[in-house]
Structures are given as C-alpha cells and as structure tokens.
Amino acid sequence: MESVKILVTLDKNYLLPLQVMLTSLHYNNPGEKIEIYLIHKNIPDLELERVREQCIRLHFDFFPTRMRGEDFQNAPVTKQYPHEMYYRLLAPCLLPRHLDRILYLDPDTLIINPIRPLWETDLGGKLFGAASHTGKTELVNNINQVRLGTTQKYFNSGVLLINLEAGREEVTPERIFTYAAEHGRELLLPDQDILNALYGERILEFDDYLWNYDVRNYNTYFLRSGGQSDLDWVMENTGILHFCGKSKPWQAGYSRRFGILYKHYMQLARRSCMQKA
C-alpha cells in the first residue's frame, strides 16, 4: 500500500504544534506508513533533530528541506509575507519529482481519525483539494469574491491535497511572485488569497465537516446538521480539526471546545519526546 505523504512548512515558532499534530497523526493512524516532508528556511539544526527523533519514535520517514534565501530573491517579502508563505503553493516546484501528490497540513491541526480516505481522494485532474469555511452565511464568500475578482467559493489553505504532477506544468514561481507584487496591498491572508485568486477554479472541494473542521464554528456545524454533528459525531467521523484564528489551544487561557482534547495530545507528545529513540 502506498505511503501517505504529508507536507508541513513552518518556522521554529511552530515546532511544538507540529509535534502535537504528528502525535495525533500517529495515534489515530495505527499501522500506516507515513512520510513527513518539511520545507523550512532557518530552523536550527538542534531543533530539527528533535523532530527527526520524534519521527523515528513514531515510525515516520522524515525528509526536511532547507530553502536558501537566493531561491526566493524575486519573491515579495515583508514582515507580513515571509518566505514560508510561498512554500505550500510552490510544493510542485520544491519537492522531489518522484512524488505525484502530497497532503499539506497546517501545524495547528489535530488528526483524530484515519487520514487515508482523504489521501486517496481522486482529484479528477484538479490541482488542489481543499475545503471552504463559510461560517453562518455566504457573506464571507461574497466579500472574498469581490475582493479577489473570483466566482468560486473561498477555500481555506490549511489542509491541501496537492496534485504535484499537474502542478509541475501549471504552477510557477514567476506567476505567484508577480501576483503578490501587484496585489500586495489587497491580500489579507496572503498565501490563501493567492491560492484562491490564481487557482480557485482548479480546486476540488471536499467536506470541511470531515477534513478541515474549523473548531470556532461548532455551533454552526451543529445547527446546519440539524443537531446531528454533535461532539460524539465529530469524534467518530471528523478526520481533521483545525484550530483557525489567532487564539490557539497551546496558549494559556484557551477556552474553546476541543481545547481539552488538544491538551491531551500535547501531553502525549511530551511523553513521547521524553522517550529514547
């Protein structure tokens, strides 16, 4: 059976959440062969080694790639737009050519059920698979359509199934960098806005209830489902919880639903990291 290949792109500030996410991936996908690809710019070698050691303990294969500043010398870069924002979009250009697809995951996610059904989703020739977080109304979609000049739903870039093979023909650094330079002042969530503006029509929509559950919107999901998607339903059916927004469950004082569940995996990650490889 083909291994599940996961992409993460981050800096050292998100290493703790990464280790929690990897822990949840391990516990809820027993027996899966998993490969972790990390693209980064300047994570210190010592801290990178801790991730490698964790992957050994979890029986994941680990493939880090360090990008050089000169590789992105033509990329518009500011405090708001760091190099790292481009990595997931440019995965077809940056990852080894023997890979034909990759599943990108934000580090602020938890994997609470088997991931293979998402991994095996047929993209039907599309470049990406993603979910849309519409909230209580279609207002957010409408605003983003006007803002970006698009007609499709506004997709969240925190969970992306990426068709690397097709992307190598269609995704180029020049196009992405040019768009960022020409529209920089209009971009609110830069990488996500660029994804939607340039490739929105090449995205296959998947169910956010299952694969990119915005934990802020529990009440909305519950009401929309007529009371079906309660906590028990989520724990049994949802594959990926996404802790979107500025408030994060590893921060002090976090009080949203699923915060206790996150702390459980934090504790499992700490115990795992204390073990010898």
Side-chain angles (χ1 to χ4, degrees), residues 20 79 125 127 199 216 219 244:
V20 176
K79 184 177 180 180
L127 286 178
Y199 306 110
R216 299 171 299 180
N219 290 335
C244 302

Side-chain angles (χ1 to χ4, degrees), residues 47-203:
E47 298 190 52
L48 199 63
E49 187 60 27
R50 292 184 183 128
V51 179
R52 186 188 305 277
E53 291 172 357
Q54 182 192 22
C55 286
I56 291 172
R57 287 190 293 270
L58 300 180
H59 305 290
F60 295 165
D61 293 325
F62 181 54
F63 304 97
T65 299
R66 186 185 300 273
M67 302 307 301
R68 301 172 301 171
E70 52 265 35
D71 296 324
F72 289 82
Q73 59 184 354
N74 295 324
V77 177
T78 66
K79 184 177 180 180
Q80 185 184 7
Y81 309 149
H83 283 158
E84 287 83 357
M85 85 168 199
Y86 295 106
Y87 295 163
R88 78 189 79 175
L89 299 177
L90 290 173
C93 309
L94 303 178
L95 291 171
R97 295 191 66 84
H98 71 272
L99 301 177
D100 60 2
R101 65 168 45 196
I102 200 92
L103 176 60
Y104 170 82
L105 297 175
D106 267 357
D108 60 350
T109 56
L110 279 182
I111 316 305
I112 62 171
N113 275 301
I115 202 76
R116 182 163 288 277
L118 176 59
W119 170 251
E120 294 182 343
T121 298
D122 184 358
L123 289 174
K126 299 282 191 178
L127 286 178
F128 301 95
S132 175
H133 292 158
T134 56
K136 297 181 180 179
T137 71
E138 293 301 312
L139 180 60
V140 173
N141 269 331
N142 294 338
I143 290 173
N144 285 316
Q145 287 169 356
V146 171
R147 184 170 63 85
L148 299 174
T150 59
T151 58
Q152 73 281 340
K153 290 182 178 179
Y154 185 76
F155 294 99
N156 181 271
S157 63
V159 178
L160 291 175
L161 186 59
I162 305 174
N163 184 341
L164 297 174
E165 190 171 21
R168 292 186 185 105
E169 302 296 324
E170 300 184 46
V171 176
T172 65
E174 294 76 18
R175 188 182 184 197
I176 290 174
F177 297 163
T178 297
Y179 186 89
E182 293 178 350
H183 299 272
R185 293 183 179 180
E186 306 161 23
L187 304 181
L188 301 180
L189 299 170
D191 58 311
Q192 192 162 279
D193 285 350
I194 293 172
L195 171 74
N196 281 274
L198 294 183
Y199 306 110
E201 295 182 353
R202 302 284 284 118
I203 296 175

